[in-house]
Amino acid sequence: MTMALPWPFRALIWFCTVVSVSFAHKNVLFLLADDGGFEMGAYRNRIVQTPYLDALAKQSLIFNNAYASVSSCSPSRASILTGMPEHQNGMYGLHNGVHNFDALGRVRSISTILGEAGVRTGLIGKKHVGPGEVFKFDYERTEEQFSVNQVGRNITNIKLFVREFLRDAKDNPFFLMVSFHDPHRCGHITPQYGSFCERWGSGEEGMGLIPDWHPIYYVWDELILPYYVPDTEPARRDVAAQYTTISRLDQGIGLVLQELKNAGLEQDTLVVYTSDNGPPLPAARTNLYDPGMAEPMFIRSPDPKSRRNEVTYSMTSHLDLVPTFLDWFNLSYPESNSLNPLTGKSLLPLLYTEPPVDPDHVVFASQSYHEITMAYPMRAVRTKRYKLIHNLNYQLPFPIDQDFFVSPTFQDMLNRTRQGQDLRWYKSLRQYYQRPEWELYDLKLDPAERKNVHGKPVVKEVFERLRVRLAKWQEATEDPFRCMPGGVLLDTGEFENNATCFSLGQ
Amino acid sequence: MTMALPWPFRALIWFCTVVSVSFAHKNVLFLLADDGGFEMGAYRNRIVQTPYLDALAKQSLIFNNAYASVSSCSPSRASILTGMPEHQNGMYGLHNGVHNFDALGRVRSISTILGEAGVRTGLIGKKHVGPGEVFKFDYERTEEQFSVNQVGRNITNIKLFVREFLRDAKDNPFFLMVSFHDPHRCGHITPQYGSFCERWGSGEEGMGLIPDWHPIYYVWDELILPYYVPDTEPARRDVAAQYTTISRLDQGIGLVLQELKNAGLEQDTLVVYTSDNGPPLPAARTNLYDPGMAEPMFIRSPDPKSRRNEVTYSMTSHLDLVPTFLDWFNLSYPESNSLNPLTGKSLLPLLYTEPPVDPDHVVFASQSYHEITMAYPMRAVRTKRYKLIHNLNYQLPFPIDQDFFVSPTFQDMLNRTRQGQDLRWYKSLRQYYQRPEWELYDLKLDPAERKNVHGKPVVKEVFERLRVRLAKWQEATEDPFRCMPGGVLLDTGEFENNATCFSLGQ
């Protein structure tokens, strides 16, 4: 009889009967890369060598349509940890230095919720979110106590911290987030270590030594570049450096998983791997084009019945992670008068059954700032086939962050533009800077998002349907930017229970 | 012989010999209005009745060229309390609600510095700045503990809190900030009390009663409007409401000064009055036109030799207040490796001598946000004659905040624009929204800033001189926006000691 029920109910029943009684206690190990993309064998990159990530993938459900909800480090981490888009959790841009963004004090993060439920929480590596009271872990070894390289890139230290955390974790369920700083750039901060810190800890003179790291080097002219990277020597050398850094991430993943195994906790622990946002390359990080928001994701369940080395094509979002973690711990999101319910949903059912294809299934994304000066808010909705991007400050040129600006890739693009040379890229720099208010891409015909079809009669209905869905999501998630451009949001006084956009008559 | 010394030295010597030994202990009472302008007899408004402000002015040095450094509440308060422009202290916009701006944690406010020097600090009324650790007062009675109306507009409560603070203040020097919420608008929050909360506490049915307040009402068609207010019935009624609210502010000032007198502390206390930014009317608050940044200011010194009921024409800024307070307490600004020195200077010498007119004397202003959605950064420099405004996101329409949007004044402007009627204003709404990158005004010929002379050959040198001074100030105050528009600031890695702007080649 259950065959007649729609998929989510079937999956739910299956999950409840099959899974929930299987484990004495349940843990989560959450592995997060920093600016990592699909640079690994598991996602069919044939050059970069990532044996540990590939091994994890083989034991995991592999997500082929997982998306960040925002393409910037602090906002993405805050969205992952709160289950809310950046415009709802208040972390509109980078937390560090003069950018000074923080989540709203009223927001509750997964670490707070789990901590209150008796789950021991830990964070090792890069934190990059605040305020402290919103993102509080029982065990923290982050850049707030150490140099970020020593907790985020020194995989020997990471291994030892994980060992320390797990030693005290035997009696309680735990949630441990290991937040690698690789493969983030570092050329703007510590250029002496290379543009991706690929020399740091390599054992070369002056570079120090990370005992557990065996760097892998790549020949720049033998790489196969993704379409969004210009095919130039500086960009190729940049990507080769990125790949070397990925060997540190990959081996770090291996060390952490070995620690879990050594502690005898592998059979009690859900392992999740993803990255905060796309690589620091053109059209990627800080963009809502796919190179910016499409993310690698694996979920490895200890349940032998889970789908291992299978691929899910379900449309999924980082906003689904908080519901997933809560589901894993059999907890529900705390009710509150001041916060709307989360819009994500648990991914655990996917571990057992692939749902039927639903062309209307969407993910949403929202970006407002990165650096404090980069006021380029964008909102996006993506189905499997279409993506609609709303550029709210489209009158401005698309902003370039410091980190990316100094990169060899971008410097070369700039020089070529100045000298009138071929960029060996799929756009001109001017096209990259100047964007219209609306961008609509048919990803089936145009996966590289080269041809904006907004305004074409054939997609008029698609546009209208997506526009309305996006607006409704912005409303449901209380987006302060939802009346932009050209409008003012009133949501206090007589509009307190009836928030309304009013036109500025421009 | 001292006659041959330049003015600052003479003033300094006079100050040191005459003043510094005169008082057993010295206090500061700092009175701050919220969105208050020149609506008082002391500044030659012949309609509004402000006997207490006028009386204070008669005992004070009256500042005719005092300027806010930013035209938005939280940033202005943060700039007043830190001595740094908003782009340096990190409070780029409003602190409250979803706007969520905070000062940088490394910044030290006057309350912290004075507190560490043994001065007892108090804040009564609207606070609107954060984080708590940067703006910590020994005694706080603010909207963080009470409804803002009860601590910021209920002048009976204010009186009693001041009494309480002063009761315990006899043995220590103190710094007491009384931060009135009048004459701020409230139509967007509690419209039932009128657009300026002018009915709240009036004793009318349902309005409650503030025992010490005797509201003064105005006939809307008998007002004399300032040039920047449209001459329409809705705007006149709006201003009449504002004036009624000012009667609450004015009587509150009277009550607070009476408490100081009753406590026997009048002879030991420097009294400063100013407002955070201009009124919530067009071209005023959130603008760097003079109605937004020109502020009333009085300083009353207990020294009988100080200039009372005199006017100073010296160009002065809210950024001068921290140096003034420190000077009064004989303290110097704490040295730090991580912060540049303040750019303001003590105003105490002005209490004794008017300096010679210096046409090159300037004040600076800096505005980045107000609401989180209002990314319209502006930087300005003003001499007595000229003002140069740099609109960094000039491609965008000038943003309108919620508070001002719902005001009768603006709603009428919007309706008139839609209906093609005369705005009875000095600009069109379109002109107000669309601004060029640079605005240069000759305030001698054009005090209303109607005619942008940027680009005229006759002011080419003026422009260039002011542009360079503005850029230098942005550099000295570490403005993160100083490479905008069109540039990226690099100030880390190899540029750590050599911050540089690079062009984006747009």
Side-chain angles (χ1 to χ4, degrees):
Chain A
M1 283 302 288
T2 59
M3 293 305 287
L5 285 171
W7 173 79
F9 293 94
R10 276 181 293 151
L12 191 69
I13 288 166
W14 192 3
F15 179 69
C16 293
T17 52
V18 175
V19 180
S20 70
V21 294
S22 305
F23 307 109
H25 65 260
K26 298 162 146 194
N27 312 304
V28 169
L29 173 62
F30 177 44
L31 305 167
L32 188 66
D34 196 358
D35 294 354
F38 296 91
E39 307 83 7
M40 62 183 85
Y43 281 107
R44 291 174 294 284
N45 182 313
R46 283 170 293 161
I47 304 294
V48 67
Q49 294 169 53
T50 51
Y52 298 99
L53 280 163
D54 299 349
L56 175 62
K58 281 204 180 106
Q59 300 163 342
S60 301
L61 180 64
I62 301 166
F63 287 71
N64 249 20
N65 288 300
Y67 298 92
S69 80
V70 49
S71 188
S72 170
C73 176
S74 300
S76 179
R77 282 148 205 266
S79 76
I80 287 170
L81 291 171
T82 65
M84 297 176 181
E86 55 85 26
H87 62 243
Q88 190 178 22
N89 68 47
M91 180 74 81
Y92 309 114
L94 296 177
H95 177 61
N96 54 303
V98 298
H99 314 300
N100 206 27
F101 286 102
D102 266 310
L104 298 168
R106 67 181 187 197
V107 164
R108 308 191 69 198
S109 74
I110 186 72
S111 58
T112 307
I113 299 168
L114 293 180
E116 286 171 2
V119 176
R120 189 159 173 266
T121 57
L123 171 58
I124 295 165
K126 182 170 162 178
K127 186 169 184 178
H128 218 225
V129 288
E133 62 270 24
V134 171
F135 301 101
K136 194 167 160 34
F137 293 77
D138 297 321
Y139 178 95
E140 295 194 19
R141 298 294 183 276
T142 75
E143 78 276 13
E144 293 179 356
Q145 300 99 33
F146 303 90
S147 139
V148 67
N149 278 1
Q150 293 296 350
V151 283
R153 301 202 204 246
N154 185 332
I155 57 177
T156 298
N157 284 348
I158 292 172
K159 173 187 81 176
L160 296 173
F161 287 138
V162 169
R163 189 176 296 170
E164 182 178 66
F165 179 84
L166 293 180
R167 200 171 53 213
D168 300 327
K170 295 255 161 100
D171 300 325
N172 264 335
F174 68 79
F175 175 89
L176 175 60
M177 174 168 172
V178 182
S179 176
F180 295 88
H181 195 29
D182 287 317
H184 196 282
R185 285 189 183 278
C186 76
H188 62 305
I189 302 283
T190 49
Q192 67 273 27
Y193 300 139
S195 65
F196 281 87
C197 268
E198 69 277 7
R199 299 181 66 201
W200 185 80
S202 65
E204 293 169 84
E205 197 181 333
M207 294 295 123
L209 179 72
I210 300 171
D212 286 293
W213 181 35
H214 308 285
I216 304 174
Y217 298 101
Y218 296 86
V219 181
W220 64 268
D221 58 1
E222 291 177 6
L223 302 182
I224 300 166
L225 295 176
Y227 71 87
Y228 58 92
V229 178
D231 195 357
T232 59
E233 182 178 335
R236 285 180 162 270
R237 289 188 184 276
D238 218 15
V239 172
Q242 181 204 27
Y243 283 9
T244 296
T245 301
I246 279 171
S247 73
R248 192 164 50 205
L249 165 71
D250 180 62
Q251 291 165 34
I253 299 275
L255 292 169
V256 171
L257 291 174
Q258 188 61 45
E259 289 300 318
L260 187 73
K261 191 170 189 173
N262 293 350
L265 292 160
E266 207 178 44
Q267 289 310 312
D268 305 305
T269 304
L270 187 80
V271 177
V272 178
Y273 171 82
T274 190
S275 173
D276 57 351
N277 46 250
L281 289 162
R285 192 187 63 187
T286 77
N287 286 270
L288 296 184
Y289 300 133
D290 267 13
M293 68 179 273
E295 298 305 327
M297 188 153 79
F298 312 139
I299 302 186
R300 182 181 92 178
S301 167
D303 181 3
K305 296 194 179 66
S306 66
R307 299 166 66 196
R308 296 192 174 177
N309 201 21
E310 288 188 28
V311 172
T312 175
Y313 295 90
S314 187
M315 298 293 289
T316 52
S317 163
H318 280 166
L319 298 180
D320 298 329
L321 289 172
V322 162
T324 302
F325 298 144
L326 290 174
D327 191 4
W328 180 254
F329 287 109
N330 270 316
L331 297 169
S332 51
Y333 189 68
E335 282 185 34
S336 153
N337 291 330
S338 64
L339 293 171
N340 280 8
L342 300 183
T343 56
K345 57 180 190 332
S346 172
L347 303 174
L348 295 186
L350 294 178
L351 295 177
Y352 299 95
T353 321
E354 180 73 358
V357 172
D358 177 356
D360 276 343
H361 198 163
V362 297
V363 293
F364 297 100
S366 168
Q367 171 119 2
S368 296
Y369 296 88
H370 178 70
E371 298 171 4
I372 181 66
T373 53
M374 291 169 60
Y376 201 86
M378 303 177 282
R379 301 295 181 264
V381 54
R382 191 197 195 287
T383 65
K384 218 165 264 177
R385 176 152 183 188
Y386 293 103
K387 187 192 284 175
L388 180 66
I389 302 175
H390 195 188
N391 298 310
L392 307 184
N393 278 349
Y394 63 93
Q395 301 96 326
L396 297 177
F398 186 81
I400 305 295
D401 60 280
Q402 297 176 358
D403 177 355
F404 176 54
F405 181 85
V406 295
S407 71
T409 300
F410 186 75
Q411 284 298 308
D412 184 61
M413 294 169 77
L414 207 51
N415 288 336
R416 284 171 180 266
T417 300
R418 286 193 181 117
Q419 291 160 19
Q421 291 174 8
D422 180 9
L423 242 59
R424 303 180 65 86
W425 197 41
Y426 73 122
K427 291 187 184 188
S428 72
L429 208 46
R430 171 181 292 268
Q431 287 170 320
Y432 188 65
Y433 288 146
Q434 298 300 336
R435 306 182 182 186
E437 180 180 350
W438 293 101
E439 295 176 75
L440 178 61
Y441 298 104
D442 182 341
L443 298 152
K444 190 174 163 189
L445 305 175
D446 175 30
E449 299 163 283
R450 297 177 68 147
K451 193 179 170 203
N452 181 9
V453 294
H454 173 247
K456 305 267 183 240
V458 68
V459 288
K460 197 179 162 200
E461 274 173 39
V462 170
F463 169 73
E464 196 49 31
R465 202 169 65 239
L466 291 177
R467 189 192 64 74
V468 169
R469 287 196 76 167
L470 186 57
K472 284 195 171 157
W473 179 72
Q474 288 183 266
E475 199 174 321
T477 52
E478 303 177 278
D479 186 353
F481 295 74
R482 67 185 180 272
C483 301
M484 289 178 65
V488 164
L489 173 68
L490 298 183
D491 60 357
T492 58
E494 58 178 305
F495 301 100
E496 189 168 356
N497 299 311
N498 179 31
T500 307
C501 288
F502 288 89
S503 166
L504 282 164
Q506 286 157 352
Chain B
M1 282 302 289
T2 59
M3 293 304 286
L5 285 170
W7 172 79
F9 293 95
R10 275 181 292 148
L12 190 69
I13 288 165
W14 192 3
F15 179 70
C16 293
T17 51
V18 175
V19 181
S20 69
V21 293
S22 304
F23 308 107
H25 65 259
K26 297 163 148 194
N27 312 304
V28 169
L29 173 62
F30 177 44
L31 305 167
L32 188 66
D34 196 359
D35 293 355
F38 296 90
E39 306 83 7
M40 61 183 87
Y43 281 107
R44 290 173 295 283
N45 181 314
R46 282 170 293 159
I47 303 295
V48 66
Q49 295 169 54
T50 51
Y52 298 99
L53 280 163
D54 299 350
L56 174 63
K58 281 203 181 106
Q59 300 164 342
S60 301
L61 181 64
I62 300 167
F63 287 71
N64 250 19
N65 288 300
Y67 298 93
S69 81
V70 50
S71 188
S72 170
C73 176
S74 300
S76 180
R77 281 148 206 265
S79 76
I80 288 170
L81 291 170
T82 65
M84 296 176 181
E86 54 85 24
H87 62 242
Q88 190 178 22
N89 68 47
M91 181 74 81
Y92 309 114
L94 296 178
H95 178 60
N96 54 303
V98 298
H99 313 300
N100 205 28
F101 286 102
D102 265 312
L104 298 168
R106 68 182 185 195
V107 164
R108 307 192 68 198
S109 73
I110 187 71
S111 57
T112 307
I113 299 167
L114 294 180
E116 286 171 1
V119 176
R120 189 158 173 266
T121 56
L123 172 58
I124 294 165
K126 181 170 162 178
K127 186 169 183 179
H128 218 225
V129 288
E133 62 269 24
V134 171
F135 300 101
K136 195 167 161 35
F137 292 77
D138 297 320
Y139 178 95
E140 295 195 19
R141 298 293 182 274
T142 75
E143 76 277 13
E144 292 178 357
Q145 300 99 34
F146 303 90
S147 139
V148 66
N149 278 2
Q150 293 297 350
V151 283
R153 300 203 205 246
N154 185 332
I155 56 177
T156 298
N157 285 346
I158 292 172
K159 172 187 81 177
L160 296 174
F161 287 138
V162 169
R163 188 176 297 169
E164 184 178 64
F165 178 84
L166 294 180
R167 199 171 53 214
D168 300 327
K170 297 251 161 103
D171 301 325
N172 264 335
F174 69 79
F175 175 88
L176 175 61
M177 174 169 173
V178 182
S179 176
F180 295 88
H181 196 29
D182 287 317
H184 196 281
R185 284 189 183 279
C186 76
H188 63 305
I189 302 282
T190 49
Q192 67 273 26
Y193 301 138
S195 65
F196 281 86
C197 269
E198 71 276 8
R199 300 181 65 202
W200 186 80
S202 65
E204 294 169 82
E205 196 181 333
M207 294 294 124
L209 180 72
I210 300 171
D212 285 295
W213 182 34
H214 307 287
I216 304 174
Y217 298 101
Y218 295 86
V219 181
W220 63 268
D221 57 1
E222 290 177 7
L223 302 181
I224 301 166
L225 295 175
Y227 70 88
Y228 59 91
V229 178
D231 195 356
T232 59
E233 181 176 335
R236 286 180 162 270
R237 288 189 184 275
D238 218 16
V239 171
Q242 180 204 27
Y243 283 9
T244 296
T245 300
I246 280 172
S247 73
R248 192 164 49 205
L249 166 71
D250 181 62
Q251 291 165 34
I253 300 274
L255 291 168
V256 170
L257 291 174
Q258 188 61 44
E259 289 300 318
L260 186 74
K261 190 170 189 173
N262 293 350
L265 292 159
E266 208 179 44
Q267 290 309 312
D268 305 305
T269 305
L270 186 79
V271 177
V272 178
Y273 171 83
T274 189
S275 173
D276 56 351
N277 47 250
L281 289 163
R285 192 187 62 187
T286 78
N287 286 271
L288 295 184
Y289 300 132
D290 267 13
M293 68 180 273
E295 299 304 327
M297 188 153 78
F298 312 137
I299 301 185
R300 181 180 91 179
S301 167
D303 181 2
K305 295 194 180 67
S306 66
R307 299 166 65 199
R308 296 193 174 176
N309 201 23
E310 288 188 28
V311 172
T312 174
Y313 295 90
S314 187
M315 297 294 288
T316 54
S317 162
H318 279 167
L319 298 180
D320 298 328
L321 288 173
V322 162
T324 302
F325 298 144
L326 290 174
D327 191 4
W328 180 255
F329 288 109
N330 270 317
L331 297 169
S332 51
Y333 189 69
E335 281 186 34
S336 152
N337 291 330
S338 65
L339 294 172
N340 281 9
L342 299 184
T343 56
K345 57 182 187 336
S346 171
L347 302 174
L348 294 185
L350 294 178
L351 295 177
Y352 300 95
T353 322
E354 181 74 357
V357 172
D358 177 356
D360 276 342
H361 197 164
V362 297
V363 293
F364 297 100
S366 168
Q367 171 119 4
S368 296
Y369 297 88
H370 179 69
E371 298 171 4
I372 181 65
T373 53
M374 291 169 58
Y376 202 86
M378 303 178 282
R379 300 294 181 267
V381 55
R382 191 197 195 288
T383 64
K384 218 166 265 178
R385 176 152 182 186
Y386 294 103
K387 186 192 284 176
L388 179 66
I389 301 175
H390 195 189
N391 298 309
L392 307 184
N393 279 349
Y394 63 93
Q395 302 96 327
L396 296 177
F398 187 80
I400 305 294
D401 61 280
Q402 297 176 359
D403 178 354
F404 176 53
F405 181 84
V406 295
S407 72
T409 300
F410 186 74
Q411 283 298 307
D412 183 62
M413 293 169 77
L414 207 51
N415 288 336
R416 286 171 179 266
T417 300
R418 286 193 181 118
Q419 290 160 20
Q421 291 173 10
D422 180 9
L423 242 59
R424 302 180 66 85
W425 197 42
Y426 73 121
K427 290 187 184 187
S428 72
L429 208 46
R430 172 181 290 268
Q431 287 170 320
Y432 188 65
Y433 287 147
Q434 299 300 336
R435 306 182 182 187
E437 181 181 350
W438 294 100
E439 295 175 75
L440 178 60
Y441 298 104
D442 182 340
L443 298 152
K444 191 174 164 189
L445 305 175
D446 175 29
E449 298 162 284
R450 297 177 68 148
K451 195 180 168 200
N452 181 9
V453 294
H454 172 248
K456 305 266 182 241
V458 68
V459 287
K460 197 179 164 200
E461 274 173 39
V462 171
F463 168 74
E464 197 49 31
R465 202 168 66 238
L466 291 177
R467 189 191 66 74
V468 169
R469 286 196 76 168
L470 186 57
K472 284 193 173 158
W473 179 72
Q474 289 184 265
E475 199 174 322
T477 53
E478 302 177 279
D479 186 353
F481 294 75
R482 67 186 181 270
C483 301
M484 289 177 65
V488 164
L489 172 68
L490 297 183
D491 60 358
T492 59
E494 57 179 305
F495 301 99
E496 189 168 357
N497 299 311
N498 179 31
T500 307
C501 289
F502 288 88
S503 166
L504 283 164
Q506 286 157 352

